Amino acid sequence: MLNPALPNLKLFINNEWVDAKSGKTFPVINPSNEEVICEVAEADAADVDVAVKAAREAFKVGSAWRSMDVFERERRLLRLADLMERDKVLLSSLEALDNGKPYSVAYAVDVSLSIECVRYYAGWTTKIQGHTIPIRGDAYCKTLLEPKGVCGQIIPWNFPLLMLTWKIGPALACGNTIVMKSAEQTPLSALHMCNLMQEAGIPNGVFNLLSGFGPTAGSAIASHMDVDKVAFTGSTEIGHKIMKAAGESNLKDISLELGGKSPLIICEDADLDKAVELAALALFLNHGQCCIAGSRTFVHDSIYDEFVDKAMKHAQKRKVGNPFDSNTDQGPQVDKEQLTKILDYIESGKKEGAKLVIGGERFGDQGYYVQPTLFANVEDGMKIEQEEIFGPVQTFLRYKSLDEVISRANNTKYGLGAGIISNNTKTINRLSRELQAGVIYVNLYNHFCASAPFGGYKMSGIGRELGFAGLHNYLNTKCVIESV
């Protein structure tokens, strides 16, 4: 759908479309051609206040949402997933339009996984339960799992719809209400989701969506005294600010899914052709704009040169271009800021002595495109080895032993993911235990599923999303002890 119908471009508060209190709007840019797609309402702290009040009212005991039968809540969430399925082409087109990812990928991956996520958590609404606990004395103990309340949710631009569903799925399944801020670069699919929420029968005030910027709307959510919990996906830098704001306000609960610099370890027994394919998937998915990207590729010394040669030939085949062209493998980066940042990292790699194998330049003169870029002879401590580039820049490091590669792979402030490519069970088991990361991929990469928990160690975040573990971000445990 080359010219998808645009959704309502206002703020969505209490099931109504409203202008920002300030009357401000901001432009949404098409990263393929750098042209303005539309202007959307720009929320700030005043709009956050209104949205939080609506969410608080919807969370009151006796409200339509709080008194809704859990089976009815399940039916409405399943209805939401069905509506997403009906509008799959439109949602995929909106993702390609303001994010720049290929339409074919948005359809097959982003929107499909988003629908799966809503359906998965719809099923949990009827299965959230506490326990009875044997305790000392003439007393009876039980636990109740209760929703946290008003949840602030701040989502990123790299997977706009998917990150929306990773947040709303468990939050709504547990019975919370939501004030969400979408990324300013990619608001369109989230705005269409508001229409689907209405159609699915989600009550007034349960889901509120604000388009806006982090320093204004995002900061106001994180520091709001009547927000009970904040969930954020984005950079580690902003994660620090979210955590500080939560602590300095009402000490609200937080969950953070932050940056990564994930190692991908190619062992000497790996099938080289398969390893090259998986390494490309690990790095180039979503144009490298993926927090768990396998962006440090450690290759065993005995196969290093052959691997790099095969990786170069594989990268040469990647087609960069229009997201709506079915043959496109890689669209533009999301905005000019990202383009500039990536090109700066490439220059840093050159200056620090890494060998540029292929790419290294902007692609074309219109749109935020970057050539698929490969660096060999990358050394520990180089900027491109240590910092999250968030672009199509693949780095190859040489290693000789497992002890060495484990130490080097763990030598990072991040710990979101890691990958292992090997046919040796003993090697796989050791690496899986000793790599400091929340998600370990073995002989595959970027395999996402709503039932599998996702999250990191160290500065890659706090808490887990998806699966049963993802519910705990949105539940309080109440202990009830009574005399018998």
Side-chain angles (χ1 to χ4, degrees):
M1 190 181 291
L2 285 171
N3 297 296
L6 297 180
N8 196 306
L9 304 175
K10 297 183 179 183
L11 309 179
F12 186 75
I13 299 176
N14 206 29
N15 255 15
E16 296 180 346
W17 295 102
V18 297
D19 292 318
K21 290 288 185 183
S22 66
K24 291 182 180 178
T25 62
F26 66 91
V28 179
I29 307 298
N30 183 336
S32 298
N33 57 23
E34 305 178 52
E35 295 177 358
V36 174
I37 300 168
C38 58
E39 296 266 346
V40 300
E42 180 182 338
D44 59 21
D47 304 294
V48 170
D49 280 339
V50 177
V52 170
K53 287 176 183 176
R56 179 60 63 192
E57 189 68 24
F59 189 71
K60 284 184 177 178
V61 174
S63 70
W65 184 239
R66 291 296 298 277
S67 59
M68 185 180 290
D69 182 281
V70 291
F71 290 95
E72 180 60 27
R73 192 192 310 160
E74 178 186 39
R75 281 191 289 271
R76 297 197 189 190
L77 289 176
L78 288 172
R79 173 63 175 153
L80 177 62
D82 289 343
L83 293 169
M84 294 171 68
E85 191 88 60
R86 181 198 69 190
D87 289 0
K88 192 173 182 181
V89 169
L90 176 56
L91 287 167
S92 303
S93 300
L94 293 173
E95 292 287 87
L97 184 63
D98 65 5
N99 173 274
K101 66 183 64 195
Y103 168 85
S104 58
V105 174
Y107 187 91
V109 179
D110 296 62
V111 181
S112 295
L113 291 178
S114 298
I115 295 167
E116 174 190 89
C117 184
V118 174
R119 287 194 174 126
Y120 173 81
Y121 279 110
W124 270 110
T125 58
T126 57
K127 301 169 188 68
I128 297 170
Q129 55 194 359
H131 298 89
T132 57
I133 303 171
I135 61 171
R136 172 175 37 81
D138 293 330
Y140 167 79
C141 179
K142 64 182 177 182
T143 59
L144 304 176
L145 298 182
E146 300 182 335
K148 285 191 179 289
V150 176
C151 298
Q153 299 181 327
I154 303 170
I155 60 173
W157 48 257
N158 57 335
F159 292 94
L161 184 65
L162 188 59
M163 294 300 99
L164 180 148
T165 58
W166 282 22
K167 296 287 189 291
I168 69 166
L172 296 181
C174 294
N176 297 280
T177 59
I178 295 169
V179 176
M180 175 177 282
K181 189 195 86 68
S182 57
E184 61 269 23
Q185 298 92 337
T186 56
L188 298 181
S189 60
L191 288 167
H192 184 69
M193 283 293 292
C194 297
N195 293 327
L196 303 188
M197 292 273 190
Q198 286 179 314
E199 194 173 348
I202 304 301
N204 294 358
V206 172
F207 179 75
N208 305 275
L209 179 71
L210 307 176
S211 305
F213 295 86
T216 49
S219 176
I221 291 172
S223 61
H224 203 287
M225 293 297 293
D226 203 26
V227 170
D228 301 301
K229 186 256 179 347
V230 63
F232 170 76
T233 296
S235 70
T236 298
E237 175 190 2
I238 302 302
H240 280 289
K241 295 180 179 181
I242 297 287
M243 198 167 183
K244 183 178 180 181
E248 291 181 345
S249 54
N250 59 343
L251 209 63
K252 58 178 65 64
D253 181 80
I254 60 170
S255 54
L256 305 172
E257 199 271 278
L258 306 175
K261 193 69 179 177
S262 302
L264 173 63
I265 299 173
I266 316 294
C267 298
E268 59 184 320
D269 67 319
D271 178 308
L272 278 187
D273 290 331
K274 178 181 178 182
V276 166
E277 290 279 351
L278 288 176
L281 173 65
L283 189 283
F284 290 114
L285 177 71
N286 206 39
H287 326 155
Q289 299 171 148
C290 187
C291 53
I292 203 169
S295 52
R296 292 185 296 149
T297 307
F298 290 90
V299 184
H300 193 272
D301 182 67
S302 64
I303 59 173
Y304 185 89
D305 292 334
E306 185 180 359
F307 181 91
V308 171
D309 182 65
K310 285 179 176 287
M312 176 190 68
K313 293 173 181 175
H314 187 278
Q316 287 173 334
K317 297 176 184 177
R318 291 185 62 80
K319 180 175 179 182
V320 180
N322 187 335
F324 289 97
D325 183 336
S326 61
N327 294 314
T328 293
D329 297 308
Q330 179 182 312
Q333 308 309 127
V334 75
D335 62 13
K336 188 174 182 179
E337 180 181 349
Q338 282 301 116
L339 172 68
T340 301
K341 175 185 171 185
I342 293 164
L343 294 176
D344 286 346
Y345 273 115
I346 291 171
E347 287 306 308
S348 169
K350 295 175 184 177
K351 289 177 181 177
E352 290 189 328
K355 179 185 176 182
L356 180 63
V357 176
I358 189 175
E361 303 288 343
R362 181 175 182 173
F363 180 88
D365 56 8
Q366 185 182 49
Y368 308 125
Y369 295 93
V370 176
Q371 295 172 348
T373 299
L374 277 59
F375 277 106
N377 300 339
V378 177
E379 300 291 341
D380 295 4
M382 288 182 176
K383 195 172 181 180
I384 58 172
E385 187 270 337
Q386 282 290 303
E387 298 184 14
E388 188 176 34
I389 300 172
F390 231 58
V393 181
Q394 194 168 26
T395 62
F396 300 125
L397 299 93
R398 192 188 300 260
Y399 77 95
K400 292 184 178 180
S401 72
L402 281 185
D403 287 340
E404 173 199 344
V405 77
I406 290 169
S407 176
R408 292 170 64 195
N410 288 335
N411 185 28
T412 171
K413 65 183 180 181
Y414 297 113
L416 185 53
I420 304 162
I421 302 179
S422 174
N423 294 309
N424 186 307
T425 302
K426 186 176 180 180
T427 297
I428 291 169
N429 287 340
R430 182 184 175 192
L431 289 171
S432 297
R433 289 193 308 272
E434 296 189 29
L435 290 173
Q436 298 168 0
V439 180
I440 307 291
Y441 292 120
V442 180
N443 293 325
L444 47 66
Y445 210 92
N446 286 325
H447 191 87
F448 305 111
C449 183
S451 57
F454 186 93
Y457 289 11
K458 299 188 280 189
M459 292 178 72
S460 285
I462 297 172
R464 293 295 179 268
E465 295 192 292
L466 301 183
F468 174 70
L471 294 168
H472 293 288
N473 292 328
Y474 297 98
L475 290 169
N476 285 323
T477 299
K478 178 183 286 183
C479 181
V480 179
I481 303 175
E482 57 183 283
S483 170
V484 294

